[in-house]
Amino acid sequence: MLRTIKILYHQGKQFIPDLRKANVPGIFRGRPEISLDKVDSQALADICPTNAITTSPVGIDLGKCTFCGECSRLFPGKIRFTTDYKLAANSRERLFIKEGLRTPVSLDPDLIRKDIQRMFRGSLKLRQVSAAGDNSCELELNACGNVNFDMGRFGIEFVASPRHADGIVITGPVSANMAEPLQITYDATPSPKIIILAGTDAISGGIFEGSPALNRKFIEENHIDLYVPGNPVHPLTFINGVMDLLGI
Amino acid sequence: MSFITINNQQSVPLSSIPEMTYDLFFDSNITLIENHEERHCVLYFAFRETGNIRLICCIADDLQHNILVSSSLVSSDAVLNSMAARNLSFEKFEREIHENFDIGFVGHPWLKPVRYAENRADKTKTIPDYPFFGIESEELHEVGVGPVHAGIIESGHFRFVCNGEQILHLEIQLGYQHRGVEQLFLEKKKLIQRTTLAESIAGDSVIGHTTAFASLWESLSGMSADYEMQYSRTIAQELERIAIHTGDLSAICTDVAYQLGSSVFGRLRTPVINFFQEWCGNRLAKGLIRTGYNPYPFNKALADRLIAVLDAFEPDFVEMNSELSRLPSSLSRFERTGTMKYDQLLSIGTVGMSARMNALNRDIRLSHPYGIYPDLNHVPVMKHHGDVYSRVQIRKEEVIQSVSYIRQLLKKIPDAGAAQEIPANLKPDSFAISLTEGWRGEICHAAVTGKNGELVIYKVKDPSFHNWLALALAVRNNEISDFPVCNKSFDLSYCGHDL
Ligand code: SF4
């Protein structure tokens, strides 16, 4: 007993008090800022492993970006990644970062379905489906509930069964072999229910885009309530995105 | 000679690999392995060559520190004698060759699909129709779990045959996470695309896989990573080991309902992965390893930060472990649970920490050292009970060992070298193999190039490829309620297996 108390004492305080304002350490690649500098935009776009960069105007699609950092390494005056981790949005268009703009990424309040905030604001239970995720987003979603990030303080939790869930969180580019289990899990979740895509692979296929081993019909045919970019998603990106969706 | 002897991360002309009839190939490789515990098959694969099928087998010799490569050309409708019938460690490789090329293997104990790859030979076989072993018994029952699991983990299916609460047999069916990785290596032509693919093979082993890829590429390009790059890759590899082992200790505690251990190990992982973010901008180190240059050279400021992180980490880690290993309630769940014997581990070709848990010395850092590992005089951590507790102890001791290696390396920080010119083309008509020791064990990448230096085949083998079978055998005769802690104590990769 004494030893247990000693161990507890040695941990000190680990939780992040304000998940809205926390700073991430070091050189996190969060929301990019693109200057109006004139560059060879085709050369810039050609660097990108996932065709995330558009040329006119120059922009980055955060739904495709794997945050590899190559564009900012080779064109440092043009592209700079800030440590702003608030990257989630509720439409694909809102994930486009255009040159010259420094506005934060945010949700469109008009697109949030009304019953979501009414029913889930105090308690949101989520079922995670790894549809060929590489276990990086899975590790980070697990971290959302650990003693550091503790998103359970807002009533947001992952649960074991779709029957207990209010929605599903998909990671991975959705392999053909996972298409049916994903649909079954979704169908087993009672309505009303939400769909969250966590990570670049889930949003666009990421580096796996175009692979014949994928089947992305589920993503194309269903309404997506929240897109959370990242490779993997940072816990703060995920938690802030869900809080915005719920209006917390 | 019926094989060519090469070293880890070496490339050779394809034509230098001796070609022989299948019968000779069979005899030669079986003779190399049988009664030679120091040798195991690291890779055995096939590819199409002008209407025929080329087989290439790579046997690693851990004492001589080299790899013995041989080859055979067989017709595309060949039916061959199964090497797995003689030596079980070929079991998965033959299944893969059968699945992708429809080559028959006579005498194979279970020639079942491996992952229902997109480019498999027989598309009428689909994943819901997997041929499980059945039981004909009134007393026994089956339990199916997955592919979607209760926790936040990857997808795969487990089918148990149980007598009451006792597991008699477990069959693990994978393939749900198949993304076509090996094919994409050929189709995506930019180096950064291929590097990003390597980073995404298994997102918990970013350093292990990306280092294997980068070293392979450097070898096939006739370049070599400079000392500073090797230095950074080594620190990163040992940090990855610390982070994931610590996270696994947390998950193991969760599975025996020990809340304190679960929380403490969980939070101890955080500063380690946050250090990765300080170093390279990503908590799982995506973006850190590149071919031909180091985008984030290590420096004095980073070293000071890392020393501070480790100084804070180590005493709390040691304290939590000593408490865990004297708690009767956790020990009773760990000891003699999920046990594997030495002979079983050897026979199925187990690698990495899953082999070292019962005296089977498989550690690429010692047996086929690369980069600056020779300078560290690495001594693998070995245990001798093969149970959950052995796997817990290996994790604990390897974390402490990795901390000491990093401290040793931090005493002298090398200067960053200049970026190297990366040749546009790889060496033509060549074969190369690259092994690294990830936290799970041996990671193997291999490639064959064509006459213009283009990639013709790219092979990836995660340690999980062999080790899933070890898990299936380890849980036999255990209570089904012990399955979660057994599973977590191995912590194998689904996507690394499914590719
Ligand atoms: S950081 Fe994103 S936009 Fe830039 S090159 Fe990498 S994937 Fe493309």
Side-chain angles (χ1 to χ4, degrees), chain B residues 333-359:
Chain B
R333 296 289 308 277
F334 295 161
E335 286 179 331
R336 288 178 291 281
T337 304
T339 305
M340 279 290 277
K341 296 202 179 67
Y342 175 87
D343 292 343
Q344 286 177 300
L345 293 170
L346 180 68
S347 71
I348 63 172
T350 317
V351 295
M353 58 156 284
S354 299
R356 299 195 289 274
M357 72 186 178
N358 197 348

Side-chain angles (χ1 to χ4, degrees), chain A residues 47-50 52-53 60 64-72 81:
Chain A
I47 294 168
C48 183
T50 49
I53 302 178
I60 294 182
K64 287 186 169 181
C65 174
T66 60
F67 299 87
C68 73
E70 280 297 280
C71 52
S72 64
F81 282 90

